[in-house]
Structures are given as C-alpha cells and as structure tokens.
Amino acid sequence: MTFKVAAAPISWGVSEVPGWGRILEPQRVLSEMAGLGVHATELGPPGYLPDPPTIIGRNGLELVGGFLAVPLHDASAAEGSVAEAAATAKKIAAGGGEIVVLAAATGLDGYDERPPLDDARWATLIDTCRRITEVVTAEGLRVAMHPHVGTHVETEAEVERFLADSPMPLCLDTGHLLVGGTDPVALAERHPARIGHIHLKDVRADLAAEVRAGRVGFADAVARGLFVPLGDGDVDTEAMVRSVHAAGYHGWYVLEQDTALGPDSDDCGPRRDTARSLVHLDEVFSRLR
C-alpha cells in the first residue's frame, strides 16, 4: 500500500494573511520540499506561485491542489467568490492538480475575529458552496470544505451542521479541528464517507484551549508554537490515519503545519520541523503496510 504524502507552503510560513510574517521565496520553499523527499505540494496563497506548472515541475514536484478562503455567507459577495473559485480551479487544473480546499472566510483580514451568522446567511453559505462545486467540477476537479479557526465552519456544531446541510466532502485538518473543539479521530469515525482530503497537523492542547476560550488570538498562538511537528503534540495522528485508512481513504496526506516567521526566526526551522513530521508519519504508515 502506497500512501500519498504532500507538503504545503504554509509550513514554511507562507500565508495569505496580511502581516503574518516573513515570506520565503518560492524556489527555496519548493527545493526544500523536494530535498526532504516530498513529491507533491499545494499552491499556497493566491499569487505565491505565479506559474505553477513550470516552477513546481522544475523542482520535481506535482501539484495536489490549493487552499481558497472566500466569503460564502454574504449574498452580495457570492458572485465574486464563485468567480474566484472558478479561476482557482482553472489554475489548479492547468497545473495537473485535483482539488480546491475551500474555507468559509468571514470577509475580515486574518482569523482572529468571527462575527456570528444568522440562519439566512448560513443558507447563503450552503448555496454558495453548491455553486462553487458546480464551477470546480466543470474543470474536472474536486472541492472539500476545510473547517478552519476564525471562519464560519470552525466549531464541532458548525462542522456537523455543514455535513447535514451540504453534500460537499470535508478536508479533515487535524489541527484546526482540534483547536475548534472537534476530536478529528472521532469525526473521521462518525463520517468516514465524507473525508475528501486530509491536512495533517499536531497541536499543543494547552494553547488550543486558550484560542478556543478567546484568551489568545490565533495568529499570536501560532507565533507561540500552537502547531508542532507530528508526534510532539496532542493529536493522535496514528489513530486518525488508521481510522481513515480502514474506511478506504486513498487520498493525499498533506503536511500542513501553520508557521509564522518573525524577524529573528530561524529560516531552517520549517525544514527541520517538516523533516521530523515526515519521520513520524513514516513510522505510522510502516505499521499499516
């Protein structure tokens, strides 16, 4: 049994959030991925890889897909969000990728504030997902909803409501689910047929609880080490992998550890952390082969 492993630029601190931190140039990030033996990547934020097929292929990588956070709940913004999803899908398809990883953005910068939604705006969110599914599948791609801190699909109640109201599969992000209050292993066991993509993270539960309680902002928690290499935190990665593997999941396992590089951060840290995660993941996979 071959397990498909990919990486993502956010593990090197590359984020769409204004003021997130220093952004390493694409060639360095992609070459470090390849040097670690990773053979595939997600896109990173819009515009980070201006010519994905060329730069990704030049580094011996293939494209998996890309993350897209757009407002889904606002009827006045829905047309633009659908158009952005269509453009993203075209770019991913041109690069040989297969999936758009969608998040229900609030419309605010960053992920530290989250205004509540009423039922009407939730209904708009669900309908916008339907429209995005149509434009993405028209490009021959899949789409999955990514529960994410600071978006309108974050908490366990919201994840379950989304699964009840929309047929769209989930991107099971082990870190964001745990921070939002959902046990990713239990979720995978409850809804094995709804897992369309996987982002692997490990998390410090103490800091996750601070974020969940509103005592620490998400960006500040990331800077303080919220996400750690696989095996160093409180996510039971092996139990989650065993669960989805037993249920027949054969998709990508994307190492996607949210990182922010400050002015004095060690630029070699992302490579070291990803290397440690790869070792841990290989140990998990070896026990399933």
Side-chain angles (χ1 to χ4, degrees):
M1 172 67 190
T2 300
F3 294 90
K4 301 192 299 181
V5 178
I10 185 62
S11 295
W12 274 258
V14 180
S15 173
E16 76 282 3
V17 177
W20 182 261
R22 287 188 296 117
I23 304 298
L24 301 179
E25 57 96 13
Q27 182 54 46
R28 173 174 180 174
V29 171
L30 297 178
S31 65
E32 289 191 359
M33 286 182 188
L36 290 169
V38 175
H39 301 296
T41 182
E42 290 190 0
L43 274 179
Y48 179 64
L49 302 180
D51 185 7
T54 299
I55 190 169
I56 290 174
R58 190 167 64 230
N59 285 276
L61 302 171
E62 62 179 295
L63 179 63
V64 173
F67 176 73
L68 178 66
V70 288
L72 305 173
H73 63 284
D74 184 348
S76 67
E79 205 68 42
S81 295
V82 173
E84 191 168 350
T88 299
K90 286 182 185 295
K91 177 179 281 192
I92 292 170
E98 62 185 65
I99 189 165
V100 174
V101 183
L102 185 67
T106 62
L108 304 174
D109 286 340
Y111 298 106
D112 289 334
E113 297 181 62
R114 202 173 74 104
L117 286 191
D118 57 23
D119 288 345
R121 289 196 161 198
W122 179 265
T124 299
L125 182 153
I126 297 299
D127 186 62
T128 307
C129 284
R130 176 191 60 79
R131 295 174 62 192
I132 286 176
T133 298
E134 290 175 354
V135 299
V136 170
T137 55
E139 297 296 329
L141 272 58
R142 300 179 294 112
V143 60
M145 172 56 66
H146 184 327
H148 193 292
V149 174
T151 71
H152 288 305
V153 182
E154 173 187 347
T155 67
E156 185 169 24
E158 289 160 353
V159 172
E160 292 290 348
R161 186 181 186 185
F162 182 83
L163 287 169
D165 292 351
S166 172
M168 184 181 288
L170 283 184
C171 169
L172 195 154
D173 184 298
T174 55
H176 280 279
L177 284 166
L178 188 64
V179 177
T182 302
D183 179 342
V185 179
L187 180 69
E189 291 173 346
R190 286 197 303 272
H191 302 286
R194 300 297 299 275
I195 308 305
H197 195 52
I198 292 176
H199 282 174
L200 292 176
K201 295 181 175 69
D202 210 342
V203 178
R204 286 176 49 192
D206 58 339
L207 267 177
E210 293 291 297
V211 174
R212 202 157 49 244
R215 291 188 289 269
V216 177
F218 178 67
D220 185 35
V222 171
R224 288 167 56 182
L226 174 64
F227 298 108
V228 295
L230 298 185
D232 288 1
D234 297 289
V235 173
D236 192 340
T237 302
E238 181 161 357
M240 191 281 301
V241 172
R242 282 186 179 277
S243 176
V244 297
H245 178 66
Y249 178 78
H250 300 302
W252 291 96
Y253 294 87
V254 183
L255 293 171
E256 206 234 23
Q257 176 184 327
D258 293 11
T259 299
L261 294 175
D264 302 317
S265 296
D266 180 1
D267 289 356
C268 296
R271 187 184 188 284
R272 284 197 303 269
D273 285 352
T274 303
R276 290 181 62 185
S277 290
L278 284 166
V279 169
H280 181 79
L281 191 57
D282 189 59
E283 291 170 351
V284 170
F285 289 157
S286 68
R287 290 189 282 271
L288 295 175
R289 289 189 176 103

